[in-house]
Amino acid sequence: MSEQSDGVDFALAAFRDDGEWLLQEIASPAYYSVDSLSHALRRLPGDAGAVGMVAVDEDFFVLVRVDGSSTRVLLSDVTAAEEWELARSALDVLGLPPLDDEDEPAPAGDLELLGDLGMHAVDLAVLLDDVDLYPDEMLSEVARRLGFGELFDDVVGFTSA
């Protein structure tokens, strides 16, 4: 399991409390699987649930949104499931079959999971199609669109533009 945590660039929970966005780091081992991540997110007091953002090995990210008993998932690249338990668990939650040798890098999951928060499916799809961006840069853009970009950039160590 240390191999799994060694590759995690960051694991954060974003949630609104009294209309204000807050970020909290998610500690290991809560980000090893979508189930454990969902469990950790449900403990947060968010007005509209909570969003988990995990970037791994500058390679892929997983977004998990919980609201009540609902769990919604987006995996930025299905091929990450070849090496990473978190990505495999995302495929399991999404009900997708295991990878085969012919699978190409592609996102999987609920592109509309952030729609009511300000990032619609089409915008998320365009962002995921940008092959020049790293996962942390994509998540920074997501955070900016949702209204907590500066806070996110401060937490992950980006300088605000």
Side-chain angles (χ1 to χ4, degrees):
M1 286 237 190
S2 67
E3 175 182 306
Q4 297 293 308
S5 63
D6 289 345
V8 172
D9 300 323
F10 58 84
L12 298 173
F15 58 97
R16 287 192 293 198
D17 194 18
D18 292 327
E20 181 181 340
W21 279 104
L22 302 171
L23 282 181
Q24 179 176 314
E25 288 189 43
I26 300 170
S28 166
Y31 52 73
Y32 288 160
S33 73
V34 170
D35 287 339
S36 60
L37 185 57
S38 298
H39 181 73
L41 292 171
R42 281 195 178 83
R43 295 176 169 210
L44 300 173
D47 296 340
V51 178
M53 301 177 291
V54 183
V56 181
D57 202 33
E58 295 184 353
D59 186 36
F60 73 98
F61 68 82
V62 174
L63 284 174
V64 174
R65 177 149 182 220
V66 299
D67 192 5
S69 63
S70 169
T71 299
R72 299 165 74 183
V73 178
L74 177 66
L75 172 62
S76 68
D77 180 1
V78 295
T79 63
E82 294 172 359
E83 295 182 42
W84 299 96
E85 178 60 34
L86 177 60
R88 279 191 295 277
S89 76
L91 292 182
D92 291 344
V93 168
L94 293 168
L96 298 175
L99 293 179
D100 63 35
D101 293 337
E102 297 174 18
D103 283 325
E104 296 289 324
D110 187 352
L111 287 172
E112 191 59 41
L113 82 162
L114 302 174
D116 63 320
L117 297 175
M119 182 116 194
H120 299 283
V122 67
D123 300 320
L124 199 49
V126 168
L127 186 64
L128 287 163
D129 282 342
D130 190 338
V131 296
D132 292 330
L133 293 178
Y134 286 101
D136 55 352
E137 294 168 322
M138 290 181 187
L139 290 174
S140 176
E141 178 62 19
V142 168
R144 187 186 69 71
R145 294 290 297 272
L146 297 184
F148 60 93
E150 285 186 39
L151 179 60
F152 176 92
D153 289 352
D154 288 345
V155 169
V156 300
F158 284 170
T159 52
S160 296

